[in-house]
C-alpha cells in the first residue's frame, strides 16, 4: 500500500494519504490492506443480502483518487448525517464521502465517523 500511495501524482494528495493512513490505523486498530487496485481498507466484515449475494468488504477505508479523496464509511447509520454536518467541506455520495484535502475537514469528527462506521458494521454483520 505504501507503493500505491507513492504512485499518487500530486504531492499534497500523497501527504494527505499518509495522514489518513495514520488516522485510520490509529482509530481502528486495524492494519491497512489494499482492497482492489485503489482502496486502502481497515478491518473487514462479511455481508450477506436477502438476495443471496454475499462478500467481504473493509469496515472503513479511503482512496486518494485524481479528482477527490474518497472516504468509505458504512451506509444506513442514522447518526452519520449528524456527524457529517460538523465534518467540514465535503460531498456525500451513497457510500462515499468526498473531500479535496484533509485540511478541509475536522479530524476529530473523522475519527468519530470511523468509529461509528466500525461499530455499526460489527453490530449489523456480527462474526459468526
Amino acid at each position: 500500500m505504501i507503493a500505491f500511495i507513492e504512485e499518487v501524482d500530486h504531492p499534497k494528495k500523497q501527504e494527505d494519504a499518509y495522514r489518513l493512513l495514520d488516522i485510520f490505523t490509529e482509530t481502528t486498530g486495524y492494519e491497512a490492506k489494499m482492497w482492489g487496485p485503489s482502496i486502502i481498507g481497515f478491518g473487514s466484515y462479511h455481508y450477506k443480502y436477502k438476495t443471496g449475494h454475499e462478500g467481504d468488504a473493509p469496515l472503513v477505508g479511503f482512496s486518494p483518487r485524481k479528482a477527490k479523496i474518497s472516504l468509505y464509511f458504512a451506509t444506513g447509520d442514522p447518526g452519520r448525517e449528524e456527524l457529517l454536518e460538523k465534518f467540514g467541506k465535503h460531498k456525500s455520495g451513497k457510500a462515499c464521502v468526498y473531500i479535496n484535502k484533509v485540511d478541509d475537514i475536522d479530524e476529530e469528527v473523522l475519527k468519530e465517523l470511523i468509529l461509528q462506521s466500525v461499530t455499526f458494521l460489527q453490530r449489523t454483520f456480527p462474526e459468526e
Side-chain angles (χ1 to χ4, degrees):
M1 138 214 4
I2 298 299
F4 170 68
I5 293 175
E6 287 297 319
E7 289 173 15
V8 172
D9 58 1
H10 193 280
K12 180 66 180 138
K13 198 162 274 178
Q14 192 178 82
E15 183 185 313
D16 280 350
Y18 280 116
R19 269 175 80 186
L20 290 170
L21 181 62
D22 288 344
I23 292 167
F24 274 77
T25 302
E26 287 169 22
T27 306
T28 65
Y30 291 107
E31 211 171 286
K33 174 184 158 194
M34 289 302 297
W35 289 76
S38 62
I39 296 174
I40 299 171
F42 300 82
S44 67
Y45 69 99
H46 186 79
Y47 61 87
K48 188 171 188 172
Y49 297 128
K50 290 178 181 135
T51 60
H53 179 78
E54 63 181 295
D56 295 304
L59 292 166
V60 288
F62 71 92
S63 183
R65 302 197 187 271
K66 261 194 187 6
K68 295 196 180 297
I69 297 170
S70 301
L71 305 173
Y72 299 94
F73 304 117
T75 56
D77 189 322
R80 176 177 144 162
E81 289 309 310
E82 201 177 295
L83 284 173
L84 285 175
E85 286 173 20
K86 305 182 290 185
F87 190 47
K89 188 177 173 187
H90 73 281
K91 289 191 169 145
S92 289
K94 187 176 180 185
C96 294
V97 174
Y98 304 98
I99 62 170
N100 291 318
K101 56 188 185 287
V102 176
D103 289 340
D104 287 345
I105 60 166
D106 183 321
E107 286 186 29
E108 292 308 310
V109 176
L110 172 59
K111 291 174 187 176
E112 287 181 57
L113 282 161
I114 292 168
L115 289 172
Q116 178 194 53
S117 188
V118 169
T119 303
F120 176 76
L121 288 170
Q122 287 176 334
R123 243 188 2 250
T124 308
F125 299 96
E127 290 184 32
E128 294 175 5

